[in-house]
């Protein structure tokens, strides 16, 4: 019966993620398990690929094998491994089972099996049951026999992924490079998957790419993925933070200099363009590039030539450019801060990176990843979110995006321990520890909705929130108070910027286009 179901899914025209999800769900139903997890081996860790019966945050975790003796024991053998119900070995899923959320797995059944593809260890399949006696000898033997169709489903999924990403014609891709992007970017939302497919296609070209997105969305990860999927992947990827380049040293840093070109130039030095020759140059925060350097950068993009500072003869370079910015460059062009010709050279293929609030429940996947990192870092038995905290994460608008989420989880974990949580227990993070109410939340930006809105920054909002409360003699709703605070903060920033919206956006630390949209929603603009 179960063989028929597994084979039916294997030959059915299903998306890869759906096939693997059906696989773990079928196994859970057949064995009567509380949870089933399919994990892929990545270097020294196991990463969940498909889960059933675990909380959603589990899919974003990365289990370091050396710190999880049960997983280590499963990988050490090729036969089914089971553990006594009263085993003292800690279970990696403590507090993560949907049936017993937040509760430790004291006496329970647990078994697993390592999975091999073409003789190489691929990962493992684990099953947990809160009841004792579910996984008897017959169940262990049957799981051993089911390893074959399980591996077949994984192999089918791998082949489909190879075809989609055109890797079948890229035999020169190193194995570690092929795996890099899978570890680097976490999420399962439709918005993210569509973006990744688009990036994999444009990566194969040599077109300049402009990554556009708010602060903290992870533009550097997407730049690395573009390079690793490109034909230049075996050549260097050189990153330059344009915002950190002093104007006096920017030319030397990018293009190099000869000995004696300026005071302190005691020897010749190659610039970043020469370091990236044959590969990719990633210009992060390109909108902050000094205006005096933009003309020289434009010439390099047009002619493929650089000229070291103090040198007469130009040098040829072969570099692909990936640029990133959290600003609207066309506004900077209109205001005269960025060259129009350079903007058009850089934005041959513009790619907007979605904000975290536009990626639906990806926030829980990412939260699970940061929870596991902090669990390992702090030496905690188990670290998880309460259902109320999960809801809070899903409904917060995340002005700082993924970077802010990382800081929120790290801060909450440290607070929990400092307030008396015992490292040997399962530590559950409640909403009070997350402290998401410290800044005003735009309740209109809900889960999965591409809001295009961005509330005023926390510092500016908190500066006017007190005045809003006092100015209203009658009680008002939180939404009304939020809108009034946002209006006052925007008006204050516009007054400070003498009516210049782009400058006001910088004062408020928000994206200019999002500020315009927010102002329209608040009725401040036509």
């Amino acid at each position: 019966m179960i063989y028929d179901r597994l084979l039916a899914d294997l030959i059915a025209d299903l998306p890869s993620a759906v096939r693997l999800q059906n696989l773990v769900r079928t196994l859970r139903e057949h064995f009567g398990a509380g949870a089933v997890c399919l994990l892929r081996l990545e270097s020294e860790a196991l990463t969940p690929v498909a889960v059933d019966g675990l909380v959603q945050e589990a899919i974003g975790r990365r289990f370091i094998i050396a710190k999880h003796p049960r997983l280590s024991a499963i990988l050490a053998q090729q036969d089914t491994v089971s553990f006594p119900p009263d085993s003292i070995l800690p279970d990696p899923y403590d507090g993560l089972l949907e049936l017993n959320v937040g509760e430790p797995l004291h006496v329970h059944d647990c078994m697993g099996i390592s999975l091999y593809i073409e003789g190489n260890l691929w990962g493992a399949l684990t099953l947990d049951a809160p009841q004792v006696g579910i996984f008897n000898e017959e169940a262990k033997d049957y799981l051993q026999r089911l390893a074959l169709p399980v591996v077949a489903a994984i192999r089918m999924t791998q082949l489909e992924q190879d075809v989609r990403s055109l890797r079948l014609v890229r035999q020169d891709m190193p194995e570690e490079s092929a795996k890099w992007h899978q570890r680097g970017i976490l999420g399962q939302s439709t918005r993210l998957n569509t973006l990744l497919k688009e990036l994999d296609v444009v990566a194969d070209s040599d077109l300049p790419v402009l990554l556009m997105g708010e602060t903290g969305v992870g533009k550097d990860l997407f730049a690395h993925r573009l390079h690793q999927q490109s034909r230049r992947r075996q050549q260097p990827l050189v990153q330059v933070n344009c915002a950190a380049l002093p104007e006096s040293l920017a030319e030397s840093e990018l293009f190099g200099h000869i000995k004696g070109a300026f005071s302190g130039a005691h020897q010749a030095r190659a610039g970043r363009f020469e370091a990236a020759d044959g590969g990719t140059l990633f210009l992060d925060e390109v909108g902050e590039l000094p205006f005096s350097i933009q003309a020289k950068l434009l010439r390099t993009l047009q002619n493929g030539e650089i000229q070291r500072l103090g040198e007469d003869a130009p040098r040829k370079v072969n570099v692909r450019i990936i640029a990133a910015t959290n600003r609207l460059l066309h506004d900077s062009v209109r205001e005269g801060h960025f060259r129009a010709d350079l903007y058009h050279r850089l934005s041959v293929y513009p790619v907007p990176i979605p904000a975290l609030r536009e990626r639906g429940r990806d926030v829980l996947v990412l939260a699970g990843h940061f929870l596991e990192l902090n669990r390992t870092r702090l030496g905690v038995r188990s670290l998880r979110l309460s259902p109320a905290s999960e809801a809070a994460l899903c409904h917060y608008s995340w002005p700082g995006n993924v970077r802010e989420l990382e800081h929120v989880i790290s801060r909450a974990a440290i607070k929990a321990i400092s307030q008396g949580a015992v490292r040997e227990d399962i530590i559950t993070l409640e909403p009070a520890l997350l402290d998401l109410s410290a800044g005003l939340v735009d309740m209109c930006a809900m889960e999965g909705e591409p809001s295009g809105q961005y509330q005023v920054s926390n510092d500016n909002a908190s500066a006017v929130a007190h005045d809003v409360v006092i100015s209203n003699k009658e009680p008002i709703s939180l939404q009304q108070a939020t809108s009034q605070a946002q209006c006052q903060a925007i008006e204050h920033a516009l007054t400070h910027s003498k009516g210049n919206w782009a400058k006001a956006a910088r004062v408020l630390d928000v994206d200019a286009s999002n500020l315009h949209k927010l102002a329209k929603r608040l009725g401040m603009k036509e």
Side-chain angles (χ1 to χ4, degrees):
M1 181 69 177
I2 186 174
Y3 265 102
D4 294 339
R5 292 180 62 183
L6 293 177
L7 290 175
D9 283 342
L10 185 62
I11 63 177
D13 185 17
L14 296 172
S16 300
V18 174
R19 178 182 293 110
L20 296 181
Q21 189 61 43
N22 287 351
L23 170 70
V24 294
R25 184 179 298 114
T26 300
L27 290 171
R28 181 187 177 191
E29 292 173 357
H30 175 78
F31 286 99
V36 176
C37 186
L38 180 65
L39 304 112
R40 179 180 59 223
L41 179 65
E42 294 180 351
S43 185
E44 303 300 321
L46 284 169
T47 301
V49 175
V51 302
D52 195 60
L54 297 178
V55 294
Q56 188 168 0
E57 69 184 62
I59 199 72
R61 299 198 176 224
R62 192 165 179 260
F63 299 103
I64 306 299
I65 299 169
K67 297 184 179 297
H68 292 285
R70 292 195 187 218
L71 296 178
S72 179
I74 291 171
L75 293 180
Q77 299 187 41
Q78 295 194 24
D79 296 329
T80 301
V81 176
S82 64
F83 301 91
D86 56 351
S87 173
I88 62 172
L89 296 179
D91 194 292
Y93 311 126
D94 259 353
L96 299 180
L97 263 69
E98 290 179 340
L99 296 176
N100 302 81
V101 175
E103 297 180 11
L105 293 171
H106 291 304
V107 179
H108 72 291
D109 272 10
C110 174
M111 68 175 178
I113 188 170
S114 57
L115 302 172
Y116 285 78
I117 294 180
E118 297 179 352
N120 298 315
L121 181 60
W122 180 88
L125 179 70
T126 64
L127 295 86
D128 284 85
Q131 303 85 6
V132 176
I134 299 293
F135 303 146
N136 52 25
E137 288 299 321
E138 182 180 353
K140 289 174 55 179
D141 293 341
Y142 201 51
L143 180 61
Q144 186 78 40
R145 295 199 297 271
L146 288 177
L148 183 60
V150 169
V151 168
I154 295 169
R155 184 60 181 148
M156 176 70 75
T157 298
Q158 281 189 327
L159 290 173
E160 290 171 348
Q161 292 172 344
D162 286 343
V163 171
R164 279 199 305 270
S165 58
L166 306 178
R167 289 192 207 123
L168 290 179
V169 295
R170 296 182 180 180
Q171 300 299 327
D172 58 328
M173 174 178 278
E175 183 178 357
E176 285 304 308
S177 295
K179 292 179 180 178
W180 184 93
H181 68 275
Q182 296 172 341
R183 297 197 299 266
I185 302 174
L186 295 174
Q188 299 176 315
S189 65
T190 302
R191 186 83 182 271
L192 178 64
N193 288 332
T194 300
L195 172 61
L196 295 182
K197 290 176 184 177
E198 180 183 9
L199 287 179
D200 288 349
V201 174
V202 73
D204 203 36
S205 71
D206 244 7
L207 295 177
V209 175
L210 178 63
L211 302 174
M212 304 174 295
E214 299 172 9
T215 298
V217 295
K219 294 184 287 292
D220 57 331
L221 291 179
F222 292 95
H224 278 79
R225 182 187 179 102
L226 277 168
H227 176 72
Q228 292 294 348
Q229 293 292 91
S230 75
R231 300 172 186 177
R232 298 173 180 261
R233 56 190 161 269
Q234 293 183 322
Q235 301 302 320
L237 169 66
V238 177
Q239 180 170 346
V240 179
N241 184 354
C242 298
L245 283 179
E247 187 168 357
S248 58
L249 298 177
E251 183 176 359
S252 171
E253 188 70 20
L254 289 174
F255 307 113
H257 62 261
I258 63 173
K259 182 179 179 179
F262 52 85
S263 177
H266 301 301
Q267 59 184 10
R269 180 179 179 273
R272 298 298 182 92
F273 268 93
E274 287 182 80
D277 192 20
T280 303
L281 183 65
F282 175 38
L283 299 175
D284 196 12
E285 304 300 344
V286 71
E288 310 299 328
L289 197 66
F291 194 82
S292 59
I293 303 300
Q294 293 178 24
K296 296 178 180 179
L297 176 59
L298 176 64
R299 186 183 71 174
T300 299
L301 297 181
Q302 289 173 330
N303 304 328
E305 294 180 346
I306 59 122
Q307 196 166 341
R308 288 188 180 184
L309 190 62
E311 191 173 58
D312 295 328
R315 297 169 180 252
K316 281 285 186 182
V317 289
N318 175 18
V319 174
R320 183 191 189 172
I321 296 293
I322 299 174
T325 181
N326 61 0
R327 301 199 182 281
L328 286 177
L329 287 187
H330 53 73
D331 282 354
S332 298
V333 170
R334 186 166 55 248
E335 294 167 7
H337 301 308
F338 203 86
R339 292 182 62 106
D341 43 10
L342 178 58
Y343 167 67
H344 292 299
R345 281 281 178 180
L346 292 173
S347 61
V348 174
Y349 199 94
V351 178
I353 307 298
L356 180 57
R357 63 183 172 276
E358 299 172 0
R359 290 173 51 183
R361 296 178 71 82
D362 277 357
V363 65
L364 297 182
V365 176
L366 289 160
H369 172 68
F370 296 133
L371 285 166
E372 184 63 23
L373 285 179
N374 281 278
R375 187 201 67 79
T376 302
R377 184 183 301 139
L378 299 173
V380 174
R381 171 185 172 184
S382 181
L383 194 62
R384 60 171 298 277
L385 297 169
S386 70
S389 291
E390 290 186 352
L393 294 185
C394 288
H395 292 90
Y396 184 60
S397 56
W398 297 110
N401 291 290
V402 180
R403 188 179 299 129
E404 182 184 6
L405 172 63
E406 179 182 8
H407 295 165
V408 164
I409 297 297
S410 300
R411 187 166 57 241
I414 293 173
K415 281 183 180 179
I417 294 175
S418 66
Q419 293 176 12
V422 180
R423 296 175 192 262
E424 289 73 24
D425 292 342
I426 296 174
I427 299 178
T428 300
L429 304 182
E430 297 292 347
L433 291 170
L434 300 178
D435 198 23
L436 295 180
S437 60
L440 290 176
V441 178
D442 183 359
M443 298 304 291
C444 295
M446 302 299 285
E447 174 189 350
E449 179 184 343
S451 62
Q453 300 162 359
Y454 194 80
Q455 74 266 33
V456 297
S457 65
N458 291 346
D459 292 339
N460 286 284
S462 59
V464 299
H466 179 70
D467 295 336
V468 170
V469 175
I470 294 214
S471 65
N472 289 281
K473 296 180 180 180
E474 296 296 327
I476 60 174
S477 69
L478 177 61
Q479 176 112 15
Q480 289 174 311
T482 300
S483 297
Q484 289 184 23
Q486 289 176 329
C487 286
Q488 288 190 20
I490 293 173
E491 288 170 354
H492 179 73
L494 284 172
T495 301
H496 177 78
S497 305
K498 299 180 180 180
N500 187 307
W501 283 87
K503 289 182 179 178
R506 287 194 284 272
V507 170
L508 294 169
D509 193 25
V510 301
D511 184 87
S513 68
N514 288 326
L515 179 59
H516 285 294
K517 292 174 184 176
L518 177 59
K520 289 179 182 178
R521 183 175 66 81
L522 295 171
M524 300 179 67
K525 290 189 69 178
E526 292 293 330

